[in-house]
């Protein structure tokens, strides 16, 4: 039954993007619900590279906190990726709870699951590069799965050729906003910090309006404005001279308990957020370090020994 479009029936449209439409579907052989990501093929250009990249990476990633790719169907005018069906995404889930944010204990649980999926990727030298609530899927049981690997890259050898036009602006770390192309897994860890705080507030933490300059200003107003003395690599970043206007006037870091009121209900919550949202990439927690942070101290130790699947 695999590799054939006739093996699945479309039920309803779940979402539409610039090059793909996602349908809720069902396997005619098993009755299992699936998500059908139908990508239009251009006769001259073939399949979009992002789709090829996503499919090739997901075939190698088998983890309970990463979306499962069941099937790939190549037709004349379409390429269809068949995924396991998930009820909603984190962005929609937060919308259901309004501007008050979700329950702190759920925010901690979702963050741990996100870290499990990311660590599995990072251990295989794969960077997601587009962490945002829309790319984090949830089941009815509260299972979280990382999805949309269209921008992901396998970092097999050190390189200085990555694009700095990665990650949706609101979740892009300051070193990348300032032109760094030599990033590592720290790129994704900044995104975890942004998503953690967004779950507690119900709104994006750094909602830049237009460009890197405005995005940096939003970050500095919350975390404080760095200087060459507080962030040693700052003067060496390619876009620093062009974005100097973002550094004036200088801001001090906000009081996290006052600004993110729900964080006071999470023991070690402030420390966890600040350990992820470090300006210096090498100072951010790794996936392994984050999973063993004291914020998760109430979870049994066995949670660190669960099977991947």
């Amino acid at each position: 039954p695999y590799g054939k479009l006739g093996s699945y029936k479309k039920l309803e449209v779940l979402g539409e993007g610039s090059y793909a439409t996602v349908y809720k579907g069902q396997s005619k052989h098993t009755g299992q619900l699936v998500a059908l990501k139908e990508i239009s093929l251009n006769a001259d250009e073939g399949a979009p590279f992002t789709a090829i990249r996503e499919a090739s990476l997901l075939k190698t990633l088998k983890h309970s906190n990463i979306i499962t790719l069941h099937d790939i169907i190549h037709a004349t005018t379409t390429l269809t990726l068949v995924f396991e069906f998930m009820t909603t995404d984190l962005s929609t889930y937060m919308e259901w709870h309004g501007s008050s944010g979700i329950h702190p204990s759920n925010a901690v649980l979702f963050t741990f699951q996100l870290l499990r999926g990311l660590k599995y990727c990072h251990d295989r030298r794969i960077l997601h590069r587009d962490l945002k609530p829309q790319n984090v899927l949830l089941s009815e049981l509260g299972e979280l799965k990382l999805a949309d690997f269209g921008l992901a890259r396998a970092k097999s050898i050190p390189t200085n050729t990555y694009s700095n036009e990665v990650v949706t602006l609101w979740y892009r770390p300051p070193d990348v906003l300032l032109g760094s192309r030599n990033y590592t897994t720290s790129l994704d860890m900044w995104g975890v910090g942004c998503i953690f705080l967004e779950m507690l507030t119900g709104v994006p933490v750094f909602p830049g309006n237009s460009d890197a300059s405005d995005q940096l200003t939003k970050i500095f107003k919350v975390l404080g404005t760095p200087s060459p003395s507080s962030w040693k690599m700052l003067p060496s970043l390619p876009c620093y001279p062009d974005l100097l206007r973002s550094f004036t006037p200088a801001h001090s870091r906000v009081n996290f308990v006052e600004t993110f009121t729900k964080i006071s209900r999470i023991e070690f919550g402030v420390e966890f957020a600040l350990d992820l949202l470090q300006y210096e990439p090498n100072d951010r927690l790794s996936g392994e370090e984050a999973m063993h942070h004291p914020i998760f101290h109430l979870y049994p130790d066995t949670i660190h020994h669960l099977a991947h699947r």
Side-chain angles (χ1 to χ4, degrees), residues 160 164 173-183 186 216 220 226-228 230-244 247 278-282 284:
N160 194 33
N164 64 328
D175 50 303
V176 177
L177 290 165
L178 287 160
S180 173
R181 296 171 182 264
N182 193 28
Y183 47 78
S186 62
L216 285 169
F220 297 161
S227 65
S230 65
W231 186 11
K232 302 298 184 187
M233 73 180 290
L234 185 57
S236 66
L237 292 170
C239 300
Y240 176 59
D242 298 328
L243 294 170
L244 276 173
F247 290 77
Q278 289 287 318
Y279 286 129
E280 170 55 51
N282 292 334
R284 292 173 207 148

Side-chain angles (χ1 to χ4, degrees), residues 61-68 84 86 112-118 120-121 137-139 142-147 303 305-309:
L61 296 174
K62 305 296 182 184
H63 191 275
S64 56
N65 295 119
I66 296 174
I67 195 74
T68 299
E84 64 178 312
M86 301 292 284
F112 188 83
Q113 293 184 74
L114 177 58
L115 290 169
R116 281 194 81 226
L118 268 184
Y120 180 84
C121 294
L137 305 183
L138 299 172
S139 76
E143 297 170 299
L144 178 147
K145 295 181 189 269
L146 191 52
I303 203 167
H305 307 288
L306 296 172
H308 291 324
R309 297 288 288 183

Side-chain angles (χ1 to χ4, degrees), residues 227-287:
S227 65
S229 59
S230 65
W231 186 11
K232 302 298 184 187
M233 73 180 290
L234 185 57
S236 66
L237 292 170
C239 300
Y240 176 59
D242 298 328
L243 294 170
L244 276 173
R245 63 188 181 279
S246 303
F247 290 77
T248 54
H251 299 276
S252 299
R253 192 175 75 205
V254 301
N255 183 312
F256 265 48
V257 173
E258 292 178 0
T259 304
F260 309 108
T261 53
K262 279 188 177 179
I263 207 167
S264 63
R265 295 160 58 184
I266 301 173
E267 195 174 5
F268 304 107
V270 173
E271 295 86 343
F272 179 71
L274 291 176
D275 285 345
L276 289 167
L277 299 174
Q278 289 287 318
Y279 286 129
E280 170 55 51
N282 292 334
D283 290 343
R284 292 173 207 148
L285 295 174
S286 68

Side-chain angles (χ1 to χ4, degrees), residues 8 28 30 59 70 114 131 149 177 260 272 289 309:
Y8 306 92
K28 294 179 180 178
T30 66
K59 284 176 71 175
H70 287 313
L114 177 58
L131 277 190
F149 282 74
L177 290 165
F260 309 108
F272 179 71
E289 291 167 340
R309 297 288 288 183

Side-chain angles (χ1 to χ4, degrees), residues 16 84 99 104 123 129 231:
E16 293 185 76
E84 64 178 312
S99 59
D123 285 349
R129 302 204 310 170
W231 186 11

